[in-house]
């Protein structure tokens, strides 16, 4: 599996890192570019409408992407649109951050989720039907433990700008304690060189709890016990930005691959 | 102006009511269909990414649509995509409503916004640059007072299904008391024949207050003073569904034309 993953990684890192106009390696998935975003119907709805429905949180608690949308989602995430959509969100986040008068007491933080926010698992998902296959914990953990997930380039630009503006960065991820070391290595290798905190999930404490509960609780600790102010909060899941102590402003990055409640 | 408006109305009601594959009257606006949604750049971002950024509430408090996106937005709202996006949202709302065990005490309500949710102002916006022009209260009121805004067909389907399921309908609109009579007439003419309440804005009471404050306050009264349960809440603006007493579940219809805080 390792070699295959590396080939995927190469292809998708080219697509995501350099913003090529058509940076898709056709070898990795039998994709065809559609002539327009409205051209692919699934049970009477288009895949593009399904995607917008997901982004605006109208379609919730879905387990897998619609089977008929595998090609559409693959084209979207490996093509320009995913990159462009991510760019717009990160750009708005930067405009907002720039407008803030950062008090220099070191307590202004920006919360980043990790998967599909900071690091991309596209090399994995390209190999697993772009979300058509039900979540496979074993296979996904195997991928995470390789520690080779590439940075999402538009998020990385925001990260660097926020550091320049004087924000402290807190990573808040659903990854478990057992994956903390490999996550630290992966973040550093991908160019995220500095942070205030990296919060991983205490799996025994949050067993059976939703991501909204886990993340709200950890953000509450940050603000109420540790005296931080969450100025911004960015993630690819609505569960990253709903709940309590969400931060002064939240940003939802695109993610048509999976849904975490 | 009246005749022009009627021509627009005719053209857009054909486009919105019958779901034609290409129900665009090219005479009403100098539109060109783009070959894909990613083809139109505005200051380094695409109009489609701008639209998704608006829908997911990343881009907020905007006054007008980007000038460069007039053609894109025009094609979107008069074409199939707006209709399809609306259909998906209303469909999800119906799936959710169906799953609810409606207690037959007449207290389960569904809150509908009016403009761009229940009634469409497309005939007006087609004449006003699809949101490129700054909001003109005089011209818009003149349009509203004609009382000829067509129904949004996908919302109307939801409305009918909700009535069949036993829900009571409450319209909650930012339209002022002075436009209540014409709104009642317009709703009935457009096929909305029955409702529990139609709440219009007491302009003196909410002067200088945001729509979030106004709508939260009115929903709070519905639930806490009048004993209703808001099971669902649908609107085209985030200010329709943010705040307090938002309802058990909320639905955000597409609207790339304007933003109300």
């Amino acid at each position: 599996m390792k070699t295959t993953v590396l080939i995927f990684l190469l292809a998708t890192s080219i697509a995501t890192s350099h913003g090529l106009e058509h940076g898709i390696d056709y070898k990795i998935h039998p994709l065809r570019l559609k002539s327009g975003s409205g051209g692919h119907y699934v049970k009477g709805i288009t895949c593009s409408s399904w995607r917008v429905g997901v982004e605006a949180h109208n379609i919730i608690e879905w387990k897998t992407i619609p089977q008929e949308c595998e090609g559409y989602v693959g084209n979207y995430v490996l093509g320009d649109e995913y990159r462009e959509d991510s760019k717009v969100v990160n750009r708005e986040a930067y405009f907002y951050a720039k407008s803030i008068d950062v008090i220099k007491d070191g307590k202004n933080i920006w919360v980043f989720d990790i998967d599909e926010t900071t690091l991309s698992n596209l090399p994995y998902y390209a190999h697993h039907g772009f979300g058509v296959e039900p979540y496979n914990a074993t296979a996904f953990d195997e991928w995470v433990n390789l520690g080779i997930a590439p940075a999402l380039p538009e998020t990385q630009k925001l990260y660097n700008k926020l550091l320049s503006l004087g924000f402290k960065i807190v990573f808040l991820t659903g990854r478990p304690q057992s994956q903390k070391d490999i996550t630290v290595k992966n973040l550093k290798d991908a160019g995220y060189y500095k942070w205030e905190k990296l919060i991983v999930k205490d799996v025994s404490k949050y067993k059976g709890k939703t991501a909204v509960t886990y993340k709200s609780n950890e953000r509450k600790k940050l603000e109420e016990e540790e005296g931080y102010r969450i100025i911004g909060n960015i993630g690819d899941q609505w569960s990253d930005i709903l709940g309590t102590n969400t931060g002064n402003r939240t940003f939802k990055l695109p993610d048509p691959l999976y849904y975490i409640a």
Side-chain angles (χ1 to χ4, degrees), chain A:
Chain A
M1 184 193 164
K2 220 165 174 173
T3 333
T4 329
V5 165
L6 282 166
I7 293 165
F8 284 94
L9 176 71
L10 190 65
T12 51
S13 77
I14 289 168
T16 55
S17 301
H18 303 295
L20 299 177
E21 281 301 292
H22 300 285
I24 299 168
D25 186 326
Y26 287 93
K27 285 173 217 124
I28 68 169
H29 199 269
L31 296 173
R32 284 175 306 117
L33 280 169
K34 302 292 184 306
S35 60
S37 55
H40 198 150
Y41 282 80
V42 46
K43 291 170 197 150
I45 69 168
T46 66
C47 294
S48 84
S49 292
W50 174 82
R51 184 173 65 77
V52 174
V54 164
E55 289 309 321
H57 211 219
N58 291 305
I59 299 172
I60 64 174
E61 290 166 13
W62 45 282
K63 301 293 177 204
T64 55
I65 70 165
Q67 191 112 37
E68 300 87 335
C69 295
E70 179 174 354
Y72 171 83
V73 170
N75 276 305
Y76 171 77
V77 289
L78 293 179
D80 302 330
E81 224 179 335
Y82 178 42
R83 177 74 182 256
E84 288 296 332
D85 287 353
S86 304
K87 184 175 163 184
V88 166
V89 180
N90 281 296
R91 223 176 74 124
E92 286 297 312
Y94 172 60
F95 291 157
Y96 161 69
K98 242 191 353 185
S99 76
I100 299 293
D101 188 17
V102 185
I103 309 162
K104 301 286 185 198
D105 64 356
K107 289 296 187 180
N108 283 323
I109 58 171
W110 196 290
V111 175
F112 281 75
D113 167 57
I114 293 185
D115 292 298
E116 267 53 70
T117 299
T118 303
L119 297 176
S120 171
N121 297 302
L122 257 189
Y124 173 85
Y125 280 97
H127 197 51
H128 289 268
F130 297 111
V132 160
E133 298 176 19
Y135 177 66
N136 179 332
T138 312
F140 189 70
D141 282 350
E142 201 179 307
W143 153 253
V144 167
N145 289 332
L146 292 173
I148 54 172
L152 276 116
E154 298 297 337
T155 307
Q156 194 158 44
K157 282 182 200 162
L158 175 67
Y159 165 89
N160 286 323
K161 286 174 180 167
L162 291 176
L163 285 176
S164 301
L165 288 171
F167 286 94
K168 299 252 161 107
I169 306 298
V170 171
F171 290 114
L172 174 54
T173 176
R175 291 186 177 195
Q177 181 68 38
S178 59
Q179 289 177 331
K180 185 163 186 175
D181 290 351
I182 193 70
T183 300
V184 167
K185 186 188 178 303
N186 196 154
L187 284 170
K188 289 190 171 167
D189 287 352
Y192 299 97
Y193 56 92
K194 191 180 167 183
W195 55 82
E196 181 78 354
K197 272 174 176 280
L198 166 55
I199 303 170
V200 290
K201 189 155 98 177
D202 180 337
V203 179
S204 60
K205 184 174 173 186
Y206 290 108
K207 206 181 160 158
K209 299 280 198 299
T210 63
V212 173
T213 302
Y214 158 58
K215 295 204 164 181
S216 291
N217 200 40
E218 294 298 323
R219 288 192 306 260
K220 191 175 176 169
K221 278 201 274 183
L222 285 168
E223 293 202 313
E224 294 176 18
E225 293 176 22
E226 301 172 36
Y228 291 109
R229 287 176 296 270
I230 303 174
I231 306 296
N233 178 11
I234 189 164
D236 64 299
Q237 297 290 320
W238 278 94
S239 55
D240 295 328
I241 56 176
L242 291 176
T244 64
N245 302 80
T246 50
N248 284 16
R249 198 168 151 190
T250 61
F251 296 90
K252 166 69 178 77
L253 287 168
D255 187 353
L257 300 166
Y258 55 86
Y259 182 90
I260 298 172

